[in-house]
């Protein structure tokens, strides 16, 4: 169920029910801030996606948020004017969160970063698996996914996330330290960066958009979607200890030079 509000305060009390939030609730706030997209939870509020109208594709983001939450049977609070909501729905008409094609603004290649330990597991099984699935199979010893520190609902871990730049390495470093670490210039144990053809993933109906992220549910076989894997030795680093910034930028530069210039 979607509830549209003109104003909203991030507190522990749900303005719709008058009680505390449970994990069935998600929030979308449309604003005019200088960033494009932010997400997380604060003040014991539900997981909140904040999207700025300065982001060119905010209408598509809002549409994906609503459509994905409907598929997931989530309760959603949409903080936006009636006019903005209607404008977004008009632009989103005919689209779905799992459109089997890439939209003009979506990157043709995206990255999934993983730790050294998980890299070895992935190579053996030939696929990526979500955190929840790995936990169910006793494939990991972690008690909780790193996203839980951002207030991610448990079912978010049914998905494999993709990104670009240093984001994935920030996640890897945070997992190694069991806390969120946003600095990109401190030493860490490099793992692997998997570069995927997102057009192929979308064409086979595997790509989902929730308004803030692009992801695949449960399992993604490496073939036929994988283009290349970066590890420290393939890109000429001295050893496997580097920084998120150096490993990400050196890997991306190597990928553009040898594989896809459109990355």
């Amino acid at each position: 169920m979607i509830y549209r509000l003109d104003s909203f305060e991030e507190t522990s009390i749900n303005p719709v029910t008058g009680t505390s939030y449970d994990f069935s609730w998600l929030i979308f706030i449309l604003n005019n801030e200088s960033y494009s997209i932010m997400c997380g939870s604060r003040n014991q509020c539900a997981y909140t996606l904040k999207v700025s109208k300065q982001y060119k594709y905010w209408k598509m983001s809002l549409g994906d948020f609503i459509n994905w939450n409907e598929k997931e049977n989530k309760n959603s609070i949409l903080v936006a004017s009636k006019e903005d909501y209607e404008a977004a729905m008009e632009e989103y008409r005919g689209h779905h969160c799992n459109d089997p094609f890439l939209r003009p603004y979506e990157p043709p290649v995206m990255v999934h970063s993983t730790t050294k330990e998980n890299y070895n597991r992935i190579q053996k099984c030939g696929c990526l698996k979500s955190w929840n699935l790995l936990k169910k199979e006793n494939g990991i010893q972690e008690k909780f996914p790193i996203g839980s520190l951002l207030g991610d609902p448990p079912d978010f871990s049914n998905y494999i996330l993709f990104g670009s730049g240093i984001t994935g390495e920030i996640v890897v470093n945070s997992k190694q330290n069991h806390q969120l670490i946003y600095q990109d210039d401190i030493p860490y144990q490099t793992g692997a960066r998997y570069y995927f053809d997102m057009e192929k993933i979308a064409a086979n109906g595997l790509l989902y958009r929730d308004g803030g992220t692009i992801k695949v549910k449960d399992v993604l076989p490496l073939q036929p979607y994988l283009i290349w894997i970066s590890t420290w030795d393939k890109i000429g680093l001295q050893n496997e200890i580097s920084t998120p910034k150096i490993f990400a930028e050196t890997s991306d530069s190597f990928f553009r030079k040898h594989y896809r210039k459109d990355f």
Side-chain angles (χ1 to χ4, degrees):
M1 188 72 175
I2 298 171
Y3 301 87
R4 190 193 63 79
L5 302 177
D6 289 315
S7 61
F8 179 79
E9 186 177 353
E10 292 176 83
T11 71
S12 62
I13 301 302
N14 186 328
V16 176
T17 65
T19 61
S20 299
Y21 292 98
D22 60 33
F23 287 124
S24 72
W25 289 86
L26 296 175
I27 299 163
F28 184 105
I29 297 177
L30 183 65
N31 58 35
N32 282 293
E33 300 296 331
S34 57
Y35 55 75
S36 294
I37 297 175
M38 289 184 63
C39 63
S41 174
R42 59 191 296 266
N43 299 331
Q44 297 182 305
C45 189
Y47 178 89
T48 303
L49 179 64
K50 299 177 182 178
V51 178
S52 174
K53 290 178 71 174
Q54 295 188 41
Y55 173 54
K56 185 176 180 180
Y57 306 106
W58 66 266
K59 295 175 184 176
M60 296 300 292
S61 180
L62 191 155
D64 282 333
F65 176 84
I66 291 174
N67 189 245
W68 183 78
N69 281 288
E70 287 175 341
K71 288 181 180 294
E72 293 287 309
N73 294 314
K74 293 282 190 179
N75 293 308
S76 305
I77 293 176
L78 173 62
V79 187
S81 69
K82 181 180 179 181
E83 292 75 20
D84 285 338
Y85 167 74
E86 291 175 346
M89 291 299 93
E90 178 62 29
E91 180 154 329
Y92 196 74
R93 188 187 304 274
H95 283 282
H96 300 278
C97 65
N98 60 336
D99 281 338
F101 54 84
L102 291 185
R103 300 161 186 169
Y105 60 89
E106 292 178 328
V109 177
M110 295 189 76
V111 177
H112 177 82
S113 298
T114 193
T115 62
K116 179 180 178 180
E117 294 75 21
N118 285 343
Y119 166 61
N120 294 328
R121 294 192 188 102
I122 292 167
Q123 294 307 100
K124 288 180 180 178
C125 71
C127 64
L128 300 184
K129 296 181 180 180
S130 69
W131 192 93
N132 280 348
L133 183 57
L134 284 170
K135 191 66 175 176
K136 183 178 180 180
E137 296 176 346
N138 295 317
I140 49 177
Q141 301 302 314
E142 297 171 322
K143 293 183 178 180
F144 52 83
I146 195 66
S148 64
L149 298 181
L150 288 171
D152 290 4
D155 56 357
F156 272 31
S157 294
N158 290 332
Y159 289 85
I160 302 157
L161 299 182
F162 298 86
S164 60
I166 65 170
T167 304
E169 306 316 314
I170 293 296
V171 173
V172 169
N173 191 27
S174 296
K175 286 168 73 73
Q176 291 174 359
N177 289 277
H178 310 291
Q179 60 179 316
L180 295 174
I181 298 178
Y182 294 102
Q183 296 96 315
D184 62 8
D185 58 354
I186 57 177
Y188 83 126
Q189 167 73 62
T190 61
R193 287 170 67 83
Y194 286 75
Y195 291 75
F196 285 97
D197 186 324
M198 303 309 292
E199 187 171 15
K200 287 183 179 179
I201 292 175
N204 285 334
L206 301 177
L207 188 152
Y208 286 88
R209 310 157 177 90
D210 65 9
T213 60
I214 289 179
K215 50 196 180 181
V216 168
K217 192 169 187 177
D218 293 330
V219 178
L220 178 68
L222 297 184
Q223 300 303 327
Y225 311 110
L226 178 66
I227 303 172
W228 180 63
I229 307 170
S230 175
T231 54
W232 68 273
D233 51 327
K234 291 181 180 179
I235 58 175
L237 296 183
Q238 297 271 328
N239 57 63
E240 58 188 12
I241 303 302
S242 183
T243 68
K245 180 178 176 65
I246 290 174
F247 184 49
E249 291 183 351
T250 307
S251 297
D252 287 354
S253 178
F254 189 98
F255 181 78
R256 275 189 293 269
K257 181 178 179 180
H258 296 280
Y259 293 93
R260 294 278 292 267
K261 291 181 172 58
D262 61 343
F263 174 68

